[in-house]
Amino acid sequence: MVDRNVAVVIPTLNEESSIGGLCKFLYDNGFQAIVVDDNSADKTSFNARMNYATVIQNKERKGLAKSLWQGFNYVLGLNEQQYNWDSPYNYIVTIDAGKSHNPEQILPMLQMAQSYDLVVGSRFLPFSEYDNTNGKWYRPKASQLAAKLCNLAQSGSKYTDWTSGFRIYRIDLIQALTQFTYLSTMHPIQIELLGRASSLGAGVFEYPIQYI
């Protein structure tokens, strides 16, 4: 049986059209949505709350990296400068708020997470689906190039998607990752987190995902 003690951290900005449906799906499947609204100008926070999400609402823009850590810290029970290591959750999922990721893939990824510390949803494995119809033509190539460079920089790594934001972390891995300082403010935080996890000897599995 898949462990349902799962918090889903969702950094978001102006996603009023999609956040409600995502949060309702998570609620219906027994997951707790933690939405970090990075000072949206629309009804993102309202729609999330109306669909059973816990909302952390920023009064000014902080960027993806800080928004992720706000969500992680909330799940860990950060109180001033002290963590509550007895978090009620066993896993943290991170997912895109704008329908780039398919939330139905959380369950099969969770099944793999029973045996690994970190499951990364990859857009570049056999059986992955990457629909870049409405995206910039160079994005897939840039992500694949980044993966090659990161694998060269981190000896022994063979990951296909270092920049994917669709992930499942064991809670104890997130706790271990708090010991490091991170430099990124935006999407490269995904590279830093995967690199640090690998340096800690975490078991990492890449799962083929659908990406729009």
Side-chain angles (χ1 to χ4, degrees):
M1 181 178 293
V2 174
D3 190 335
R4 299 286 179 134
N5 290 327
V6 175
V8 184
V9 173
I10 313 168
T12 187
L13 176 64
N14 297 329
E15 298 287 2
E16 66 177 6
S17 64
S18 57
I19 194 66
L22 174 58
C23 292
K24 181 62 163 54
F25 174 89
L26 296 172
Y27 176 82
D28 288 344
N29 282 273
F31 305 134
Q32 177 60 57
I34 312 295
V35 172
V36 185
D37 183 358
D38 204 21
N39 195 29
S40 293
D42 61 9
K43 295 182 179 179
T44 293
S45 288
F46 176 81
N47 290 350
R49 289 192 182 98
M50 289 296 292
N51 287 279
Y52 314 104
T54 295
V55 177
I56 301 168
Q57 193 164 8
N58 292 335
K59 294 182 179 179
E60 58 184 23
R61 296 277 169 85
K62 295 189 176 183
L64 176 62
K66 287 186 177 180
S67 293
L68 274 175
W69 277 108
Q70 282 179 281
F72 293 162
N73 289 341
Y74 180 90
V75 176
L76 291 173
L78 179 62
N79 182 8
E80 295 180 354
Q81 299 300 317
Q82 186 173 359
Y83 286 95
N84 169 20
W85 298 122
D86 296 323
S87 172
Y89 301 103
N90 295 325
Y91 299 94
I92 295 179
V93 175
T94 60
I95 191 169
D96 181 72
K99 296 185 178 181
S100 291
H101 301 140
N102 180 359
E104 293 184 0
Q105 293 193 288
I106 292 175
L107 280 174
M109 289 172 68
L110 266 176
Q111 290 179 327
M112 298 308 305
Q114 312 301 304
S115 303
Y116 293 90
D117 301 302
L118 171 58
V119 177
V120 177
S122 174
R123 297 163 289 181
F124 305 113
L125 287 170
F127 305 110
S128 297
E129 299 177 23
Y130 193 148
D131 182 355
N132 194 45
T133 304
N134 297 318
K136 295 180 173 62
W137 65 268
Y138 57 80
R139 285 182 61 189
K141 297 297 183 184
S143 295
Q144 289 175 304
L145 176 60
K148 290 180 180 179
L149 293 174
C150 289
N151 287 331
L152 287 172
Q154 185 135 355
S155 179
S157 297
K158 296 181 179 180
Y159 305 124
T160 63
D161 199 346
W162 281 74
T163 55
S164 172
F166 195 2
R167 300 179 176 187
I168 300 180
Y169 298 83
R170 280 187 180 271
I171 196 72
D172 54 354
L173 176 58
I174 291 291
Q175 290 165 350
L177 290 171
T178 64
Q179 68 183 284
F180 299 106
T181 298
Y182 299 89
L183 302 177
S184 304
T185 59
M186 293 302 292
H187 294 83
I189 187 61
Q190 309 292 3
I191 294 174
E192 288 194 77
L193 289 168
L194 179 53
R196 291 300 190 186
S198 295
S199 71
L200 290 170
V204 180
F205 181 84
E206 286 191 300
Y207 184 90
I209 61 168
Q210 301 162 353
Y211 183 85
I212 300 174

